């Protein structure tokens, strides 16, 4: 079906810069400042499972290996060298000499081994631990003060990349970013207001002229969900960058400051909607029956006009999505994927075949319950709220009544991660790594991040069991073609079953102050500040 033009009123958004309603703190000399959407859930680097916490971990945590966001390859960080045994089961890291934590204490292999074991421990429930497949069976040793050896029970493909997510902390003393081995230290946190980081005086890296890094004296992260205030702050110079620049502001800002905006094209990220399929949720049985019905989910997907979502909600700076792998991830995207195409008539027929019927303008289930539900999304995200409104219009054509509910991010997380008190949710996922193995914590049925039905004791359906099997194949196979076939199979199962109804892949949009030097924007998160220790203000060293 072609694009519809009767939706312009929803997508048309005037670029209006409002004055800040709350006064931002003055930037200290040499400090970098920008805004994040919400408070970190945790400062414990082992327990990170949200973007704000992940950003703080990246800025403060020293790691054995760091993935270069431009080359997308792991490189030595705290480890001076590392090696992988021919069978892919033993990783050996040799630490740089003279490493120290920010408090001046020595950093040795004992600290590194303890930090890795903590991530692997079931009690920690670290998302990164799941990438080891069987974390309880991993052996971590420190044979001397500068060597760490990690032995896996079986080969895990691209396992070196996971060490980008394991911050090295003082053994037996988790410090929640106040004693670190990365470029910055947590200096101050005011909930709902700001996070301040200060330079680590004992950071190991130096530039080519032997000047100790980082160049910056510190970082200020303001917690600000209002994007108009953020844009205003950037234009006034209060903020040095905008990460994930809202598409509706991109065109206007490009006219005012053409040298400040960057569109790197399609990102690896996804925006998606899903239904609550948890059997332990407080939803009535008839709603659970809707959401676990494949025909219902596929019909919903068929009714959504994704091209409209990209055109209106993102002002054209997005690509319609049908898979968890973006077309930008060319080695892994399945170009032959068979997915439910936009077809309202087919959706109506499928609903009828699945036991639903239309009476007047309302859809009813077989028990004569009217089909209506709410979609949760986060407050302050204009694109998601516009997508929800567009989907509300699309589903009205099927006779389904939609209510849109916006919550602040912590309340939203509480609903779908803990209480399970929701019907449908519209959110995005940031894929920080193109390697499919990094998605294990999403697709394994046992994972708490298996969002439509978290932490299944055993796969709830045969197709989820098959996803588990194929993900394990891609994680352990020595054959690149076998891995590709396994990932393609997972993409096809997801397209057939629609546990996630993928909507768009947003483009990677940034605004960066021309006063900054050393910035190398990348598609992979954190795209602007991935080389933060090399960023400086122009004219300074």
């Amino acid at each position: 079906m072609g694009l519809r033009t009767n939706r312009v009123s929803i997508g048309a958004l005037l670029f209006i810069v409002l004055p800040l309603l709350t006064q931002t703190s003055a930037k200290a000399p040499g400090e970098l400042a920008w805004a994040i959407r919400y408070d970190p859930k945790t400062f414990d680097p082992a327990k990170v499972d949200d973007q704000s916490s992940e950003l703080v971990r990246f800025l403060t945590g020293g790691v054995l290996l760091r993935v270069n966001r431009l080359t997308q390859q792991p490189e030595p960080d705290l480890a001076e060298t590392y090696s992988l045994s021919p069978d892919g089961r033993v990783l050996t890291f040799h630490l740089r000499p003279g490493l120290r934590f920010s408090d001046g204490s020595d950093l040795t292999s004992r600290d590194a081994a303890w930090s890795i074991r903590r991530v692997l421990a079931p009690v920690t429930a670290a998302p990164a631990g799941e990438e080891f497949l069987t974390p309880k069976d991993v052996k971590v040793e420190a044979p001397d003060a500068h060597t760490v050896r990690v032995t896996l029970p079986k080969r895990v493909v691209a396992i070196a990349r996971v060490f980008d997510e394991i911050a090295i902390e003082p053994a037996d003393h988790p410090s929640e970013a106040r004693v670190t081995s990365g470029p910055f230290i947590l200096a101050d946190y005011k909930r709902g207001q700001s996070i301040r980081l200060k330079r680590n005086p004992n950071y190991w890296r130096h530039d080519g002229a032997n000047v100790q890094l980082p160049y910056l004296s510190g970082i200020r992260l303001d917690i600000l969900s209002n994007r108009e205030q953020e844009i205003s702050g950037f234009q006034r110079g209060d903020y040095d960058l905008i990460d994930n620049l809202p598409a509706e502001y991109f065109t206007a800002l490009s006219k005012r400051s053409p040298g400040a905006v960057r569109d790197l094209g399609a990102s690896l990220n996804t925006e998606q909607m899903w239904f609550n399929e948890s059997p332990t949720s407080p939803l009535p049985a008839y709603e659970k029956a809707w959401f676990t019905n494949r025909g219902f989910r596929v019909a919903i997907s068929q009714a959504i006009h994704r091209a409209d979502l990209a055109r209106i909600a993102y002002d054209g700076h997005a690509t319609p999505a049908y898979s968890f792998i973006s077309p930008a991830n060319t080695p892994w995207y399945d170009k032959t994927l068979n997915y439910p195409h936009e077809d309202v008539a087919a959706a109506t027929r499928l609903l009828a075949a699945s036991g639903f019927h239309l009476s007047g303008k309302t859809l009813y289930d077989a028990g004569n319950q009217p089909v209506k539900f709410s979609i949760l999304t986060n407050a302050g995200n204009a694109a998601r709220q516009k997508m929800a409104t567009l989907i509300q219009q699309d589903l009205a054509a099927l006779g389904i009544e939609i209510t849109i509910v916006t919550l602040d991010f912590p309340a939203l997380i509480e609903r779908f991660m803990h209480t399970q008190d929701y019907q449908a949710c519209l959110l995005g996922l940031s894929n920080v790594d193109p390697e499919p193995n990094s998605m294990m914590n999403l697709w394994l049925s046992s994972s708490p991040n298996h969002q439509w039905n978290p932490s299944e004791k055993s796969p709830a359906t045969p197709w989820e069991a098959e996803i588990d099997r194929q993900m394990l194949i891609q994680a352990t196979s020595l054959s690149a073609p076998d891995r590709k076939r396994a990932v393609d199979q997972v993409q096809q199962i997801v397209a057939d079953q629609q546990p996630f109804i993928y909507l768009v892949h947003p483009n990677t949009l940034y605004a960066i102050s021309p006063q900054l030097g050393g910035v190398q924007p990348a598609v992979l998160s954190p795209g602007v500040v991935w080389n933060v220790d090399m960023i400086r203000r122009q004219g300074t060293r």
Side-chain angles (χ1 to χ4, degrees):
M1 297 179 68
L3 296 180
R4 292 173 291 173
T5 59
N6 60 340
R7 290 182 152 182
V8 175
S9 61
I10 297 173
L13 182 67
L14 295 177
F15 186 81
I16 301 172
V17 177
L18 300 180
L20 282 174
L21 300 180
T22 56
Q23 186 65 40
T24 58
S25 303
K27 273 189 296 190
E31 186 178 61
L32 192 68
W34 71 97
I36 58 177
R37 308 282 74 74
Y38 52 89
D39 291 271
K41 285 175 59 181
T42 181
F43 289 106
D44 185 336
K47 298 181 179 181
V48 165
D49 67 356
D50 67 290
Q51 287 184 347
S52 293
S53 302
E54 186 172 30
L55 175 63
V56 173
R57 179 179 67 188
F58 189 94
L59 297 171
T60 61
V63 293
L64 294 176
L65 305 176
R66 179 63 82 197
V67 173
N68 182 309
R69 267 48 177 181
L70 291 181
T71 66
Q72 301 183 7
Q73 296 302 313
E75 298 176 347
D77 197 79
L78 296 177
E80 187 171 41
T81 63
Y82 76 102
S83 61
L84 184 65
S85 63
D87 64 0
R89 292 182 53 240
V90 181
L91 294 98
T92 303
F93 302 92
H94 296 285
L95 301 184
R96 298 178 187 277
L99 292 174
R100 289 185 294 163
F101 286 106
S102 57
D103 65 354
S105 60
D106 291 339
L107 189 162
T108 70
S109 60
R110 178 174 177 268
D111 303 297
W114 178 87
S115 299
I116 298 168
R117 291 190 195 108
R118 183 165 179 259
V119 165
L120 296 169
V123 68
T124 308
E130 296 174 17
E131 296 183 42
F132 289 86
L133 301 186
T134 53
K136 64 182 179 62
D137 298 323
V138 176
K139 184 178 180 181
V140 184
E141 303 169 282
D144 61 53
H146 293 91
T147 306
V148 182
R149 187 162 54 238
V150 179
T151 304
L152 310 174
K154 55 184 176 181
R155 181 179 187 265
V156 178
V157 172
I159 189 60
R161 306 176 78 88
V162 76
F163 290 92
D164 180 86
E165 304 173 45
I166 301 177
I168 305 306
E169 301 181 274
D172 304 314
H173 296 287
S175 64
E176 299 201 337
R178 294 191 180 275
V179 178
T180 77
S181 52
F184 296 96
I185 314 159
L186 178 63
D188 183 55
Y189 171 48
K190 296 177 181 177
R191 184 171 181 81
Q193 297 182 45
S194 65
I195 302 164
R196 240 177 174 128
L197 309 179
K198 64 181 180 180
R199 185 177 185 270
N200 175 1
N202 295 309
Y203 185 53
W204 66 272
R205 287 193 72 189
H206 292 70
D207 68 8
N210 204 34
V211 174
Q212 187 182 22
L213 302 176
Y215 295 124
L216 299 167
S217 64
I219 289 173
R220 191 189 80 233
L221 303 172
D222 284 348
I223 297 154
L224 182 66
S225 62
N226 188 306
R227 301 312 297 264
E228 290 174 333
Q229 293 183 23
E230 181 182 15
I231 299 293
S232 177
F234 178 79
Q235 290 182 313
R236 286 204 315 270
D238 293 335
Y239 297 136
D240 298 296
L241 61 94
I242 302 175
D243 191 16
N244 296 319
L245 176 65
E248 63 265 30
Y249 295 117
F250 184 89
T251 301
L253 196 55
S254 66
K255 292 176 181 177
R256 294 167 180 245
S257 306
V261 295
R262 317 281 179 90
D263 183 345
L264 302 191
S267 70
L268 303 184
N269 301 338
T270 56
E271 294 287 323
Q272 64 260 9
M273 169 182 160
W274 71 92
F275 293 107
N276 183 354
E277 299 186 48
S278 172
T280 61
S281 75
L283 303 182
Y286 64 85
E287 290 186 358
K288 292 179 181 179
W290 302 344
F291 302 150
T292 56
N293 184 321
R294 173 188 173 274
F296 179 85
R297 298 192 303 270
V298 171
I300 297 297
S301 182
Q302 289 175 318
I304 295 173
H305 296 73
R306 289 167 174 79
D308 281 7
L309 304 185
R311 178 175 61 91
I312 297 172
Y314 286 88
D315 198 23
H317 295 285
T319 303
Y322 302 95
S323 170
F324 59 93
I325 293 184
S326 166
N329 192 354
T330 52
W332 296 104
Y333 181 69
D334 183 3
K335 296 179 181 178
T336 67
L337 185 68
N338 182 22
Y339 53 83
H341 291 269
E342 180 184 308
D343 190 334
V344 175
T348 301
R349 292 193 297 271
L350 184 54
L351 286 170
S354 302
F356 298 85
H357 65 278
L358 196 63
S359 178
K361 294 185 178 180
T362 302
L363 186 71
Y364 293 86
D365 66 12
N368 221 33
Q369 292 284 349
V371 179
K372 54 185 178 180
F373 57 85
S374 62
I375 298 176
L376 296 186
T377 194
N378 57 307
N381 190 307
R384 285 180 188 152
Q385 291 175 38
K386 282 189 278 188
M387 283 198 294
T389 302
L390 294 169
I391 291 169
Q392 182 183 51
Q393 293 184 12
D394 286 334
L395 299 190
L398 300 179
I400 298 174
E401 179 184 335
I402 301 298
T403 302
I404 300 167
V405 178
T406 60
L407 298 174
D408 65 79
F409 213 84
L412 187 64
I413 294 290
E414 179 68 17
R415 285 277 198 102
F416 77 79
M417 290 291 288
H418 303 294
T419 68
Q420 297 290 309
D421 186 12
Y422 75 100
Q423 294 164 307
C425 190
L426 193 165
L427 276 182
L429 285 178
S430 294
N431 294 312
V432 299
D433 192 335
E435 170 61 47
N437 199 47
S438 67
M439 305 174 190
M440 295 293 284
N441 67 335
L442 177 66
W443 292 114
L444 290 182
S445 59
S446 59
S447 171
N449 292 315
H450 187 72
Q451 288 164 326
W452 67 90
N453 187 8
S455 304
E456 298 176 12
K457 292 183 179 179
S458 60
T461 62
W463 59 267
E464 287 172 286
E466 184 62 15
I467 287 178
D468 284 358
R469 192 177 77 85
Q470 295 294 338
M471 287 302 290
L472 291 174
I473 289 173
Q474 72 79 29
T476 58
S477 176
L478 296 172
S479 164
D482 285 351
R483 291 193 69 215
K484 180 65 166 70
R485 278 191 292 272
V487 174
D488 285 352
Q489 181 63 18
V490 174
Q491 290 181 76
Q492 190 58 62
I493 293 171
V494 172
D496 291 341
Q497 297 293 333
Q498 295 289 300
F500 285 129
I501 298 174
Y502 287 99
L503 304 172
V504 297
H505 300 289
N507 282 13
T508 304
L509 306 177
Y510 301 128
I512 303 168
S513 169
Q515 295 182 5
L516 298 183
V519 179
Q520 300 181 60
V523 169
L524 299 187
S525 179
V528 179
V529 296
W530 71 270
N531 64 329
V532 68
D533 53 2
M534 295 295 293
I535 293 175
R536 62 185 181 276
R537 298 197 174 279
Q538 297 285 13
T540 65
R541 288 296 303 269

